[in-house]
């Protein structure tokens, strides 16, 4: 059992039988199983609340890795999934299509299509959506008859997922994949062009190596799981200009930023530039079911359009375009269309600023930053992550610091009261 610290004993005893029976047989994410605190047993969720098996209720500051954008158990999404469950939970996507997937592809491209992004490849997780984007970019050049463009440029502080290709374009220093350093395909990981010096350096690197490079991949506006760092829209304009100048494909990984998180439906809209490929997942189904999409510009798709079978995109996850997940995504898009989500993000943004800014004067605090419905307090260092996490639970909130940051990515529908309690808890715990 993980977390054999004595403070955890009471927790274990208060839990239901399934907890003790299964805990020694499950392998938890991003955890040193020997020293991690015991996970909390959850009985139910609703709105912005997590109900624990022992009856306690926590205000959720994370929205389950920022997926549950409409809060948990939204009745409109539930009803859509229940309807779909009764007719067809899943059918393979090879040679068969169905209403929910085609409707979703039509709707997503309706939102992205004005920017030219008009072909959707569905998969079942963000990492796989990134793998597909990388494969599209690499094969694009081969299909165009260009050899040698085999590298991807990515950025320090970036995170693109946990599969091999996605790990290789993530920052090895951010702590996720360091233990596999040297075993992954070598990509080119550089500084974001945040100022003139880094822009000139990137331009020079691309000028020298463009013939070896297929694409640039970036998380627009917010680098999420790699440390919740922000950059402004000008950086994306710079990247678009550099990609054009050196004839590279540009991939925006909007798995964190998509669906309102930064204040617009997609972060790239704030920059007025368009990627060649975009990846979406996380909030796509409103946090109910796993689904992801890689959406390509016509120019990318056209490079695969051929009489030659070898030019096809050879990818096809078993649960691709799962009907339940697509039904959930369609219902989630209904909610974005008819409820004032982006206005809610604006309100959350100002409450996060007011609520977190006072932390800046604490001696241990390095930085406070807010973008849309994401609020971050970066500390100089966190000595005891387990203890800090426990302090938040004692405050009745679920906030899960990592690295040296404490962050909030609440549901976009969170009640003002609950949000004030979250920021209040952060101020109290850090003080
Ligand atoms: C979470 C995330 C991924 C990986 O998605 P999974 O569904 O966890 O595989 C990729 N890119 C970004 C920007 C993410 O936030």
């Amino acid at each position: 059992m993980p977390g054999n610290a004595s403070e955890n004993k009471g927790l274990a005893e208060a839990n239901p039988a399934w907890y003790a029976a299964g805990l020694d047989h499950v392998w938890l994410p991003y955890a040193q199983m020997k020293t991690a605190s015991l996970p909390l047993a959850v009985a139910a969720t609703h709105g912005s609340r997590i109900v624990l098996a022992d009856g306690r209720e926590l205000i959720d500051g994370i929205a389950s890795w920022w997926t549950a954008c409409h809060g948990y158990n939204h009745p409109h999404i539930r009803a859509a999934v229940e309807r779909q469950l009764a007719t067809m939970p899943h059918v393979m996507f090879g040679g068969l299509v169905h209403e929910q997937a085609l409707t979703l592809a039509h709707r997503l491209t309706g939102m992205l299509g004005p920017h030219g992004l008009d072909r959707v490849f569905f998969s079942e997780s963000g990492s796989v959506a990134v793998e597909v984007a990388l494969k599209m970019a690499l094969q694009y050049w081969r299909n165009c008859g260009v050899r040698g463009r085999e590298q991807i440029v990515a950025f320090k502080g970036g995170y693109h997922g946990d599969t091999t290709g996605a790990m290789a374009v993530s920052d090895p220093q951010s702590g996720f994949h360091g233990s596999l350093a040297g075993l992954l395909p070598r990509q080119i990981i550089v500084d974001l062009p945040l100022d003139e010096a880094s822009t000139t350096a990137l331009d020079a690197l691309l000028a020298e190596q463009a013939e070896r490079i297929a694409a640039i991949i970036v998380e627009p506006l917010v680098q999420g799981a790699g440390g919740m760092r922000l950059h402004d829209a000008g950086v994306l304009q710079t990247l678009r200009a550099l990609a054009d100048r050196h004839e590279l494909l540009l991939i925006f990984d909007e798995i964190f930023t998509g669906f309102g998180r930064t204040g617009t439906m997609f972060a790239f809209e704030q920059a007025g530039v368009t990627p060649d490929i975009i990846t979406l997942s996380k909030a796509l189904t409103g946090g109910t079911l796993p689904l992801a999409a890689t959406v390509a510009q016509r120019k990318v798709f056209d490079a695969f359009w051929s009489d030659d079978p070898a030019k096809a995109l050879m990818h096809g996850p078993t649960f691709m375009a799962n009907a339940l997940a697509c039904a959930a995504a369609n219902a989630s898009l209904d909610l974005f269309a008819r409820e004032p989500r982006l206005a809610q993000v604006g309100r959350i943004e100002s409450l996060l600023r007011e609520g977190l800014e006072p932390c800046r004067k604490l001696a241990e605090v390095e930085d406070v930053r807010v973008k849309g419905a994401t609020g971050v307090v970066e500390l100089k260092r966190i000595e005891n992550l387990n203890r800090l996490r426990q302090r938040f639970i004692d405050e009745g909130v679920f906030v899960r610091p990592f690295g040296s940051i404490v962050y909030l990515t609440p549901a976009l529908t969170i009640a003002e009261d609950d949000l004030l309690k979250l920021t209040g808890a952060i101020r109290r715990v850090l003080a």
Side-chain angles (χ1 to χ4, degrees), residues 30 66 124-128 130 159-162 219 224-225 253-256 281-282:
Y30 306 124
W66 48 94
E124 71 297 60
S125 84
S127 301
V128 175
V130 168
Y159 171 81
H160 297 286
D162 296 341
E219 296 159 274
D253 179 352
E254 292 233 21
I255 293 169
F256 178 94
S281 186
K282 291 272 172 38

Side-chain angles (χ1 to χ4, degrees), residues 226-238:
M228 304 274 175
R229 276 172 268 218
L230 311 181
H231 54 261
D232 49 51
V235 172
L236 304 176
Q237 291 159 356
T238 301

Side-chain angles (χ1 to χ4, degrees), residues 50-94:
I50 295 172
V51 184
L52 300 182
D54 64 11
R56 282 180 297 166
E57 197 166 299
L58 304 178
I59 300 170
D60 184 6
I62 308 298
S64 283
W65 281 324
W66 48 94
T67 60
C69 53
H70 314 289
Y72 295 113
N73 312 23
H74 195 290
H76 181 66
I77 300 181
R78 253 173 49 199
V81 173
E82 278 166 13
R83 266 197 313 279
Q84 188 59 40
L85 184 61
T87 44
M88 181 179 70
H90 181 70
V91 68
M92 66 185 274
F93 213 56

Side-chain angles (χ1 to χ4, degrees), residues 297-358:
Q297 292 271 356
R298 166 148 313 182
K299 141 180 153 179
V300 176
F301 179 78
D302 282 350
F304 291 73
W305 178 269
S306 165
D307 292 319
D308 180 357
K311 288 193 172 175
L313 178 66
M314 297 306 283
H315 208 99
T318 305
F319 282 97
M320 179 171 183
N322 172 260
L324 290 175
C326 290
N330 280 314
S332 175
L333 293 185
D334 295 342
L335 294 174
F336 275 105
R338 67 189 193 208
E339 295 185 3
R341 282 296 170 275
L342 300 182
Q344 289 168 307
V345 173
R347 181 82 192 120
I348 291 171
E349 178 163 23
S350 48
L351 290 170
L352 286 173
R353 274 189 213 290
E354 280 165 39
L356 298 179
E357 199 52 42

